[in-house]
């Protein structure tokens, strides 16, 4: 008698989510100027990993293609740029009401989960996916963290690739407490709220002997710097790192007292990291 036993179906081995580091020069290179050689700022392992990928999740497809063009100058790509699958992260709604209010435009958890699962579907089907931040390491001060968490929930392997992080580089260059530190993102724009938040973070720094790190939109760099000088205590150590990995980048650390007598003109078009440690 013929054997009618159905043949077992095979499911593809899941792919991985690779966290591909980006350079820190987004928006810092003049349109008519050549981009720096990737090998000056990224490990070859990261460049080779990026070259092997054909599926990507990114904040911006255009800037990801620009990055891949730079990769191609060093390492041959696995597929032509036009054949790359680049899916963009969902953009936050514009002009929506605050969460929890009538007319709230924020997507609910189920909608967000479905969107992230769609982004990661190629990995479930067996393709490795690269996650690309606009600058630095994906998932660190970056909306890509939600994709990483979703990958874990889907049982996918997450592979971080070594590369530059402005926060870690700034902390290392500051000379401040590197064994206890907190990145607290952006400070309030409102002057009184910002002053209160600075004082709160300085108090936390003094109590825990913990370095505090913040960032700001580049055009607000001078305003934040002046606020820090105005509201931190004189003996607090204050550091600023600007344009890290770029020509002309710098890191400087001194007490607030010395900074107040030492003018510093910060650029308004280059990213900076600010950190302090209360004495």
């Amino acid at each position: 008698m013929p054997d009618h036993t159905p043949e077992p179906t095979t499911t593809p081995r899941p792919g991985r989510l690779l966290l591909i580091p980006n350079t820190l020069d987004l928006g810092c290179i003049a349109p008519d100027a050549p981009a720096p050689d990737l090998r000056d700022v990224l490990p070859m392992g990261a460049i080779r990993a990026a070259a092997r990928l054909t599926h990507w999740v990114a904040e911006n497809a255009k800037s990801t293609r620009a990055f891949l063009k730079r990769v191609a100058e060093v390492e041959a790509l696995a597929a032509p740029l036009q054949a790359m699958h680049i899916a963009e992260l969902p953009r936050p709604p514009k002009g929506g009401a605050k969460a929890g209010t009538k007319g709230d435009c924020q997507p609910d958890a189920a909608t967000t989960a479905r969107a992230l699962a769609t982004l990661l579907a190629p990995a479930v089907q067996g393709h490795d996916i690269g996650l690309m931040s606009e600058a630095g390491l994906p998932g660190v001060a970056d909306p890509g963290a939600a994709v990483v968490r979703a990958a874990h929930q889907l049982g996918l392997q997450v592979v971080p690739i070594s590369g530059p992080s402005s926060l870690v580089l700034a902390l290392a260059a500051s000379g401040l407490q590197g064994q206890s530190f907190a990145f607290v993102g952006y400070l309030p724009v409102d002057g009184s709220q910002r002053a209160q938040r600075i004082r709160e973070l300085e108090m936390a720094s003094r109590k825990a002997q913990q370095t505090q790190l913040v960032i700001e939109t580049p055009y607000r760099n001078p305003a934040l710097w002046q606020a820090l000088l105005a509201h931190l205590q004189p003996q607090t150590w204050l550091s600023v790192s600007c344009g890290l990995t770029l020509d002309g980048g710098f890191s400087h650390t001194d007490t607030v007292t010395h900074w107040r007598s030492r003018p510093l003109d910060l650029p308004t078009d280059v990213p900076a990291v600010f950190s302090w440690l209360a004495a």
Side-chain angles (χ1 to χ4, degrees):
M1 295 180 61
D3 184 2
H4 295 291
T5 303
E7 294 185 4
T9 58
T10 58
T11 56
R13 181 178 180 178
R16 304 167 298 166
L17 181 66
L18 278 65
L19 312 186
I20 302 295
N22 202 345
T23 65
L24 301 179
D25 55 31
L26 178 71
C28 300
I29 303 173
D32 56 347
D37 190 320
L38 278 189
R39 290 167 291 192
D40 290 339
V41 290
L42 290 183
M44 275 304 301
I47 295 171
R48 292 191 184 104
R52 290 194 295 265
L53 294 168
T54 57
H55 290 72
W56 292 85
V57 173
E59 290 183 70
N60 185 284
K62 182 179 179 181
S63 59
T64 299
R65 291 189 185 94
F67 170 80
L68 290 172
K69 286 182 180 179
R70 296 171 70 178
V71 170
E73 295 173 358
V74 179
E75 190 82 8
L77 301 180
L81 272 177
Q82 57 268 30
M84 294 287 180
H85 300 268
I86 304 176
E88 292 187 342
L89 287 166
R91 300 183 186 278
K94 295 182 178 180
K98 293 182 179 180
T101 64
K102 187 175 180 180
D104 182 12
C105 294
Q106 298 290 335
D108 58 31
T111 300
T112 299
R114 286 194 296 270
L116 294 174
T118 299
L119 293 177
L120 293 169
V124 176
Q125 296 162 5
H127 299 280
D128 284 347
I129 296 179
L131 177 62
M132 172 64 63
S133 176
E134 288 290 83
L137 294 176
V140 179
D142 173 69
V147 180
V148 177
R149 185 168 58 249
H152 286 298
Q153 293 172 331
L154 290 170
L156 301 174
Q157 182 182 1
V158 175
V159 182
I161 308 294
S162 296
S165 166
S166 61
L167 301 177
V168 175
L169 292 175
L171 177 64
S174 72
L176 304 182
Q177 174 60 272
Q179 297 191 56
S180 178
F181 55 90
F183 170 61
V184 293
Y186 293 85
L187 298 183
V189 175
D190 176 79
S192 60
Q193 294 178 3
R194 182 172 54 200
Q196 179 180 349
R197 183 63 173 148
I198 289 171
R199 289 190 288 265
E200 291 172 352
L201 292 171
E202 185 180 40
M203 187 179 302
S205 174
R206 182 177 297 107
K207 183 177 181 179
Q209 275 301 284
Q210 181 184 72
T211 301
Q212 306 291 317
L213 296 99
V214 302
I215 56 176
E216 183 52 281
T217 305
Y219 75 86
R220 292 195 184 118
N221 282 341
L224 175 56
W225 181 247
Q226 292 304 317
L228 293 171
L229 293 182
H231 301 295
L232 290 172
Q233 292 298 307
Q235 297 309 310
T236 290
W237 289 96
L238 175 61
S239 182
V240 57
S241 292
C242 190
L244 292 171
T245 75
L246 304 176
D247 289 341
F250 62 84
S251 292
H252 297 314
T253 301
D254 212 331
T255 63
V256 170
T257 292
H258 286 137
W259 276 126
R260 288 173 179 168
S261 61
R262 176 185 167 188
L264 179 66
D265 293 326
L266 290 177
T268 58
D269 57 352
V270 178
V273 179
F274 305 84
S275 56
W276 63 90
L277 178 66

